[in-house]
Amino acid sequence: MTVPNPASPMDLFAQAPDRVSIYEVSPRDGLQNEAVMIPIEGKKRLINSLVNAGLKRIEITSFVSPKWVPQLADAEELASTLKPPPGVTFGALCPNAKGLERALSAGLSEIAVFLSASETHNKMNINKTIDDTLSVFHEIVPPAREKGLAVRAYVSTVWGCPYEGPIDPKKVLSIAKRLIDLGCYQVSLGDTIGVGTPRQTDLIVRMFRDEMPLSRIALHLHDTRGTALSNIVVGLQLGVRDFDSSVAGVGGCPYAPGAAGNVATEDLIYLMNGMGIETGVDLEGVIEAGRVAEEVIGRQLPGKVHKAGAFKLRKARTA
Ligand code: HMG
Ligand code: MG
């Protein structure tokens, strides 16, 4: 009888890439849920510290209704007075024509449309059915592209919905294909409430891999139950190269009760550094940005590396 050899660590990581791309969401996904209003100067300090750490793609705000998300009511002022340095892209959420108009007048070069794979969450979050939301996107994505904007997209509740429970991955795939056909360059798959586990991630990513190049998707994993990094490793092994994260793990969705922040950027960089995968981001710089985030927000933030720091040797006590 031949005993199958368990995969060695070498085999497991034979597919590991040289480089991945990180999309920082803390100024938007991170701050949108904060109850205390954060002054615009604090937001600028946070964004500048993220740029200084080497992050090249940063979602800085949302052009949504200020009645729905009061924390980001200063979107125009922020986006029109803080410009990205060369090589850095600032993006923002945009739900409809009014959002696009505001994003254009603020001079942004990238927007992100968003909807949920769950009807109930979509209704709670953007007050529309999925079909009606896609109709709105038909009115904004092509004009945005014609005006030279890059358009990203999010599909939320892919791993599970707080109101409907499990979501059929085939429904996610069908929505994602429609978004790509419409002109979105990438669809970020959201584990909005952080319920996903590796086997589920394996199934979802393989299903996408059978239908499109994996450069078309990103993983946007809230770390509510501590499974985000294990899901990221599964994505990496299958060929995903784009990951969203939030400095110090700040954030959550105001219309998804109980959701914690996205996987912490420091934790993600620490993982990639340890695996020899280039991110272009300086870990100490991100740890400093996490300190800035904590100061600006005015409360302790949950990221693990944010709290523990990088792996450094300490002096042993002698005598
Ligand atoms: P509605 O109330 O159905 O909209 O909201 P409406 O078209 O009937 O308009 C109502 C009022 O809002 C009007 O003003 C509009 O002018 C105004 P009034 O006449 O009452 O004074 N309005 C706007 N104002 C500014 N900018 C706009 C805009 N649109 C309308 N763009 C709407 C529909 C989509 C606007 C609303 O539901 C909304 O803003 N929702 C956003 C909720 C949100 O931002 N949620 C969090 C982000 S999603 C997320 O976190 C998940 C993600 O991270 C991925 C993941 O984790 O899975 C992306
Ligand atoms: Mg999110």
Side-chain angles (χ1 to χ4, degrees):
M1 192 181 84
T2 40
V3 180
N5 261 331
S8 73
M10 286 291 281
D11 294 329
L12 265 177
F13 296 105
Q15 300 302 315
D18 295 335
R19 193 179 180 90
V20 293
S21 174
I22 294 179
Y23 185 86
E24 172 68 33
V25 295
S26 57
R28 192 278 302 172
D29 202 339
L31 300 190
Q32 70 184 10
N33 216 23
E34 290 299 318
V36 174
M37 295 304 275
I38 295 157
I40 196 162
E41 288 314 319
K43 294 177 182 180
K44 289 184 180 179
R45 258 188 80 205
L46 169 61
I47 296 164
N48 284 331
S49 68
L50 295 166
V51 170
N52 289 341
L55 286 149
K56 296 277 185 272
R57 302 162 72 210
I58 306 174
E59 198 163 77
I60 60 166
T61 189
S62 290
F63 291 99
V64 296
S65 161
K67 286 182 190 144
W68 285 64
V69 183
Q71 182 63 257
L72 304 182
D74 57 6
E76 273 118 319
E77 192 189 342
L78 180 69
S80 55
T81 55
L82 187 70
K83 295 297 170 193
V88 175
T89 303
F90 287 169
L93 288 192
C94 174
N96 54 20
K98 183 152 192 182
L100 176 58
E101 195 188 301
R102 293 171 66 207
L104 285 168
S105 81
L108 271 196
S109 63
E110 176 161 333
I111 56 165
V113 293
F114 59 104
L115 83 170
S116 182
S118 137
E119 282 293 353
T120 317
H121 181 254
N122 205 58
K123 180 80 183 159
M124 300 287 288
N125 199 35
I126 39 183
N127 203 23
K128 282 182 188 56
T129 63
I130 293 174
D131 274 346
D132 287 349
T133 309
L134 287 165
S135 300
V136 171
F137 294 171
H138 273 269
E139 289 162 19
I140 62 171
V141 177
R145 296 290 314 280
E146 274 157 29
K147 292 203 155 52
L149 270 64
V151 184
R152 200 175 191 243
Y154 289 97
V155 181
S156 292
T157 67
V158 173
W159 281 255
C161 167
Y163 309 105
E164 292 184 14
I167 296 294
D168 182 357
K170 290 198 200 78
K171 189 172 175 194
V172 178
L173 180 64
S174 144
I175 295 173
K177 280 181 171 169
R178 289 172 73 180
L179 292 166
I180 285 167
D181 289 346
L182 203 52
C184 300
Y185 75 87
Q186 186 170 67
V187 179
S188 186
L189 304 178
D191 185 2
T192 316
I193 52 170
V195 286
T197 51
R199 182 171 279 191
Q200 198 186 1
T201 304
D202 182 80
L203 190 138
I204 293 165
V205 174
R206 277 180 200 276
M207 190 189 62
F208 270 86
R209 197 171 65 171
D210 289 345
E211 299 284 333
M212 63 181 74
L214 284 180
S215 57
R216 289 297 201 163
I217 67 164
L219 300 183
H220 176 98
L221 306 174
H222 286 260
D223 202 18
T224 318
R225 292 168 181 79
T227 54
L229 286 181
S230 56
N231 289 320
I232 284 170
V233 171
V234 171
L236 260 182
Q237 285 176 296
L238 291 172
V240 180
R241 301 294 177 253
D242 287 86
F243 301 96
D244 299 359
S245 64
S246 179
V247 80
V250 59
C253 173
Y255 299 99
N262 235 254
V263 65
T265 309
E266 298 90 325
D267 299 5
L268 180 60
I269 307 287
Y270 181 85
L271 179 87
M272 296 299 165
N273 285 354
M275 291 173 73
I277 300 170
E278 185 55 52
T279 60
V281 182
D282 172 47
L283 180 58
E284 288 297 342
V286 188
I287 290 175
E288 176 53 29
R291 284 193 207 109
V292 171
E294 204 158 72
E295 223 177 281
V296 161
I297 295 169
R299 67 177 178 91
Q300 276 208 335
L301 298 175
K304 289 198 164 48
V305 175
H306 166 69
K307 286 184 185 151
F311 181 16
K312 282 185 194 144
L313 291 184
R314 291 173 198 276
K315 271 212 163 109
R317 200 154 35 101
T318 48

